[in-house]
Amino acid sequence: MSLLSWGPASLTPVAAPADDGPGNPWFSWRYVTENADAIGTALRFHAGLTAQTVLIALLVAVPLAVVAYWIRPLTAPILALSGILYTIPSLALLSLLAPLVGTTSTTSVLIALVLYALLVLVRNSLAGLTQVPAEVIEAATGMGYGRFGRLWRVELPLALPGILTGLRLATVSTVALVTVGSLIGQGGLGDLILGGFRNNFYKAEIMTGTVLCVGLALVLDLALSGVGRLLTPWARGRAA
């Protein structure tokens, strides 16, 4: 069975007419209540996959940014590679990963999402590091900090606003990209959206998945914004 021919079943057993009449509204409280378990499962899966993606991508992107920051000749290749990975069409990438990790595996979606998140995280982490004032670096060196000590105690803390900006952008974009996984039945809220199209264009199912996807992105962005304000009080004072 090929990737293109496989299609996930709709998450909702409720049918709806394929017209614009009152029997197929864009929002149906009945649909939400009768399918609360399926909707909750999709939302938890979506949020969990987003969290895994961002965490793994961050653990990969920050070391890459540090290498690009320390070894300037590698800056362009690292940025170019992350840019090339970002331009690979999602369907093509899932097809390439299918023989390695399985046609309908969550791992294939996770790998693809991590690769897409690298560009934003690497660029913003590197930008944060390069914006550390030279006099601060010189002062830290004069105090006896070595390369790793200076990185850990001085440069990374001062680069945190840039890293957090990249983290917020990567998180919001990942929430949207997770829906692509619905092509192989691993799309979380995207399964609701695609299921609605396949279930006689069931508007309530499509709208529920869409609204929850947008809401999840907003909630995560606000949460990360709050975390950033707590971790970088000096940046908040400078902006004021």
Side-chain angles (χ1 to χ4, degrees):
M1 179 171 59
S2 68
L3 176 65
L4 293 175
S5 63
W6 190 89
S10 174
L11 290 178
T12 172
V14 182
D19 57 38
D20 295 326
N24 188 21
W26 279 109
F27 178 78
S28 171
W29 188 249
R30 176 186 175 187
Y31 164 78
V32 174
T33 55
E34 291 183 354
N35 298 273
D37 290 341
I39 294 171
T41 299
L43 179 60
R44 287 190 295 272
F45 178 86
H46 203 112
L49 189 56
T50 299
Q52 292 178 62
T53 297
V54 173
L55 178 59
I56 295 173
L58 186 65
L59 293 176
V60 175
V62 172
L64 284 176
V66 171
V67 171
Y69 174 63
W70 279 350
I71 309 174
R72 295 307 169 91
L74 292 179
T75 300
I78 289 175
L79 292 178
L81 177 60
S82 60
I84 291 172
L85 292 174
Y86 190 80
T87 61
I88 300 175
S90 55
L91 182 57
L93 186 54
L94 290 174
S95 299
L96 292 172
L97 292 171
L100 302 175
V101 295
T103 304
T104 60
S105 171
T106 306
T107 305
S108 61
V109 181
L110 180 61
I111 294 174
L113 292 174
V114 169
L115 294 179
Y116 288 139
L118 285 179
L119 176 63
V120 173
L121 288 170
V122 170
R123 285 184 179 274
N124 281 273
S125 299
L126 180 59
L129 287 169
T130 55
Q131 289 173 3
V132 177
E135 57 270 20
V136 173
I137 297 176
E138 293 176 2
T141 302
M143 294 174 62
Y145 286 111
R147 169 174 278 192
F148 287 98
R150 188 174 65 238
L151 174 71
W152 183 252
R153 294 179 177 271
V154 178
E155 292 168 315
L156 279 178
L158 291 178
L160 201 54
I163 296 174
L164 288 172
T165 297
L167 186 63
R168 290 176 62 186
L169 292 173
T171 299
V172 171
S173 63
T174 299
V175 170
L177 286 171
V178 168
T179 58
V180 176
S182 62
L183 294 171
I184 59 173
Q186 303 292 339
L189 296 171
D191 291 341
L192 289 175
I193 298 172
L194 184 59
F197 279 102
R198 292 181 170 176
N199 190 22
N200 296 325
F201 195 71
Y202 195 177
K203 294 179 180 179
E205 189 173 11
I206 297 171
M207 182 59 70
T208 299
T210 303
V211 170
L212 288 177
C213 189
V214 174
L216 178 61
L218 290 175
V219 168
L220 293 178
D221 185 57
L222 290 174
L224 289 173
S225 177
V227 171
R229 291 175 65 87
L230 291 175
L231 294 179
T232 59
W234 66 88
R236 183 171 70 251
R238 184 171 55 199

